[in-house]
Amino acid sequence: MEKDEIIIRNAIVHILDSSVGIPVLSDTVLDLSPDLNDFIRNHIFKIASGDDLKRCQFHEDSYIYGLLKEFKEENLIPFSHEIGSYLYTIMNQNIDIPAADFIVVTYQYQSQMHLAFLKLNYKETFIHLTGEADGYNCNDIIKSKATLPSSSRLTEAAIINLAEMEVDIIEKKYEVNGVKTNYLSELFLQCHAKMSSKTKLQIVTKAVEQIN
């Protein structure tokens, strides 16, 4: 994949933080500045070119699959509201799943339309804070619990080829009803995931080590 061939068309971000109690859904698409465009494109490129990507096949009765079959780019905002709220419900019922900003993106690659779901799980970092007290400037350093990942590759995302209805996914297991579960594929997208190239290589490597 060539990064320069990824053409971002539209994107919208929703705040999915279980501690808030409700999803904070945006009613407008993002103003794609050059920096923001590169930020989103870089994440898509890293996901699509990674060896931990898994090809999935939607179940016919998948709720998301039903929405995708009717998807039109001009309806990106209400579509993203539907899936954002659906994902938030799953997250709210399973507190082990991390809070995140959820970006829904339409983009072209080699003239084909794609849809990307990017879950940007929050990171804890230290930031400076400035204020005033009794006429004096007061600078401080505090911990921010809602910093977005920038250069690191995302651990939860899905890329969908809208022409072929093929979905590629990266995901992590989190506890659901006491069991570690691939909730992104099994509960949210409701699709059957094959093993990633990375997992296949690990299995082969382990088998060779056992033989040796």
Side-chain angles (χ1 to χ4, degrees), residues 1-83:
M1 168 177 269
E2 297 294 330
K3 184 164 64 175
D4 291 342
E5 293 186 33
I6 300 172
I7 302 171
I8 307 298
R9 292 171 59 96
N10 282 292
I12 187 169
V13 61
H14 303 304
I15 300 171
L16 307 183
D17 187 346
S18 302
S19 67
V20 175
I22 58 171
V24 183
L25 304 176
S26 177
D27 293 320
T28 60
V29 295
L30 290 168
D31 182 9
L32 292 170
S33 65
D35 285 344
L36 183 55
N37 186 84
D38 286 344
F39 173 78
I40 295 173
R41 183 169 61 177
N42 286 339
H43 275 306
I44 292 173
F45 174 73
K46 287 178 181 179
I47 294 162
S49 57
D51 60 1
D52 50 356
L53 202 65
K54 299 184 291 187
R55 174 62 52 87
C56 292
Q57 184 172 357
F58 284 110
H59 300 311
E60 289 295 324
D61 58 350
S62 164
Y63 175 67
I64 299 298
Y65 181 61
L67 294 176
L68 284 169
K69 288 193 293 185
E70 305 297 327
F71 174 75
K72 293 181 174 58
E73 191 174 19
E74 56 266 29
N75 296 326
L76 176 63
I77 294 174
F79 169 82
S80 70
H81 283 190
E82 287 276 348
I83 63 171

Side-chain angles (χ1 to χ4, degrees), residues 33-189:
S33 65
D35 285 344
L36 183 55
N37 186 84
D38 286 344
F39 173 78
I40 295 173
R41 183 169 61 177
N42 286 339
H43 275 306
I44 292 173
F45 174 73
K46 287 178 181 179
I47 294 162
S49 57
D51 60 1
D52 50 356
L53 202 65
K54 299 184 291 187
R55 174 62 52 87
C56 292
Q57 184 172 357
F58 284 110
H59 300 311
E60 289 295 324
D61 58 350
S62 164
Y63 175 67
I64 299 298
Y65 181 61
L67 294 176
L68 284 169
K69 288 193 293 185
E70 305 297 327
F71 174 75
K72 293 181 174 58
E73 191 174 19
E74 56 266 29
N75 296 326
L76 176 63
I77 294 174
F79 169 82
S80 70
H81 283 190
E82 287 276 348
I83 63 171
S85 297
Y86 185 60
L87 178 56
Y88 185 81
T89 299
I90 295 171
M91 293 169 60
N92 209 31
Q93 292 171 347
N94 301 280
I95 59 173
D96 194 44
I97 299 174
D101 280 7
F102 183 60
I103 303 179
V104 182
V105 188
T106 54
Y107 71 95
Q108 284 179 242
Y109 181 71
Q110 295 183 341
S111 301
Q112 287 193 315
M113 279 289 296
H114 290 73
L115 194 64
F117 302 153
L118 309 178
K119 186 168 180 280
L120 282 67
N121 295 335
Y122 298 148
K123 299 170 61 179
E124 287 190 357
T125 56
F126 287 93
I127 61 172
H128 71 256
L129 183 69
T130 185
E132 185 179 332
D134 300 325
Y136 295 94
N137 287 331
C138 301
N139 295 334
D140 198 0
I141 295 176
I142 64 170
K143 181 180 285 187
S144 172
K145 296 184 178 181
T147 306
L148 301 180
S150 54
S151 57
S152 59
R153 186 148 45 125
L154 302 183
T155 57
E156 297 186 272
I159 293 174
I160 300 159
N161 182 323
L162 292 173
E164 306 295 335
M165 277 298 179
E166 293 176 344
V167 56
D168 293 319
I169 187 172
I170 56 171
E171 59 183 343
K172 285 188 69 176
K173 289 185 177 183
Y174 291 97
E175 193 168 296
V176 175
N177 297 325
V179 180
K180 291 287 186 179
T181 304
N182 285 319
Y183 79 94
L184 205 61
S185 60
E186 295 178 22
L187 300 182
F188 176 57
L189 294 174

Side-chain angles (χ1 to χ4, degrees), residues 198-211:
K198 183 177 180 180
T199 302
K200 290 177 182 177
L201 180 60
Q202 288 173 341
I203 291 173
V204 172
T205 302
K206 186 175 181 179
V208 169
E209 288 175 350
Q210 290 175 338
I211 292 171

